[in-house]
Amino acid sequence: MSGAPSEGRHDFSRNSGRDIGQSPGQDFDLEFDRRHIWHPYASMSASAPVYPVASARGVRLKLADGRELIDGMASWWSVIHGYNHPVLNRAARQQLKRMAHVMFGGLTHQPAIRLARRLAELAPGGIDRVFFSDSGSVAVEVAIKMALQYWRAQGVEGRSRLLTIGGGYYGDTFQAMSICDPVAGMHQLFSGAVSEQLFADRPCVRFGESWEPSDLDSLKDLAARHCGEIAAVILEPIVQGAGGMRFYHAEYLKGVRDLCDQHGLLLIADEIATGFGRSGELFACDHANVVPDIMCVGKALTGGYLSLAATLARAHVAETISAGPGAAGVLMHGPTFMANPLACAIAAASIDLLIESPWRKRVARIERELRAGLAPCAQLPQVADVRVLGAIGVVEMRRPVDIGGTQRRLADRGVWARPFGKLIYLMPAYVMSSRDLRHVCAAVREAAALEPV
Ligand SMILES: *Cc1c(COP(=O)(O)O)cnc(C)c1O
């Protein structure tokens, strides 16, 4: 911005970092950022501080003032191998020499073929028809379109609704919003504009606890009463992510699959947060040996390098849609940047890197260390619950967390985490060392202890 007032710029390196969000840096015109750039779920008038990141390597973010923060968030589940990874950098450079992008309508390329083959090999049994898109929310939209087209192609009328479970998060586009938790989500704000879906009570029996079949009653009841209106059941397998960070029982997921088979409903599994090892299995559906009809992946797909997502469908879904009469025989979607070659090349390299790594051992170690490191939080009067699954650690407070204050206290201890609602949570890169993870957990314990009782 040539017109930016120079008085507003300070040498960021001279700032102690106490008020990092308000202090413009050498190359960071934070005042411009504050005035002109929307951040996620942020106001343009009362903007919260943002931390300027100059670079990132491994599990560390380097801020403009030279401070290093150990990243406990893996940039929202995605950076599973750490930042600036030599293997992924090389994959990017090699693909750049060929082409960064080419349209996917009427053309194809090696990175897309390689990635689709890899996904089909690894996905829970038999899901091998791949639709590439550019973000998780769009992958969910495409999954929903597939489900609707599946019925329409067969001439079945009236199956347009989705059955889901409370406490979910599926993204920010409109159909995705319509299945997010109706209380915690955006239904109130957009009421009248969001489709009305069917919500079963969220599962109560936790992962690993003793199973209680009545947990499925609410879902069974809705499925039986609304069967003829339902196109698909959609849920996040095992881990409910941004809707509350809860882990439910594998028998629940098995029960859902049985229920879908019983009523002839499609099952859509949103593995966007859980995919690629995060929950301890490659895909969360693998905890229950469940094969969904349609599956969404995103987030960690490119190791956090670029925005890419995919919707996978079983052959019978793809074939039914394709056998539909007239225009209904084609899947009605095609984003401009569909199957972007650069993103696909990096994603294929990221998956190879994961599969060749001892990821299962690494995630199991992180799980043990998160348990050990966060368990003492349960003794704090401010804390309602501590739960860990795979490389996901959650401290649920009794009251909403002071996000800005907690973020600052963690940053002062050299740690990056972004709480939301009542939750302080961690989902580190699988390569985080025990020592770094101990430090991160200690900072979270201290931050939790400093919240008001
Ligand atoms: C993040 C997320 C999405 C949305 O993905 P975007 O890339 O942010 O659009 C959908 N479903 C789940 C489970 C997610 O965690």
Side-chain angles (χ1 to χ4, degrees), residues 76-77 134-140 169-173 176 236 239-242 270-274 296 298-299 307-309:
W76 280 332
W77 317 81
D134 25 31
S135 78
S137 301
V138 174
V140 169
Y169 177 78
Y170 302 90
D172 292 347
T173 53
E236 296 158 280
V239 176
Q240 295 192 285
D270 178 349
E271 292 260 12
I272 291 165
T274 46
C296 304
K299 289 202 162 99
S307 183
L308 182 71

Side-chain angles (χ1 to χ4, degrees), residues 374-399:
L374 298 179
C377 292
Q379 309 303 320
L380 296 169
Q382 296 94 328
V383 171
D385 187 44
V386 175
R387 46 188 183 265
V388 173
L389 180 67
I392 313 165
V394 184
V395 178
E396 181 169 335
M397 310 297 288
R398 292 189 194 282
R399 298 216 239 149

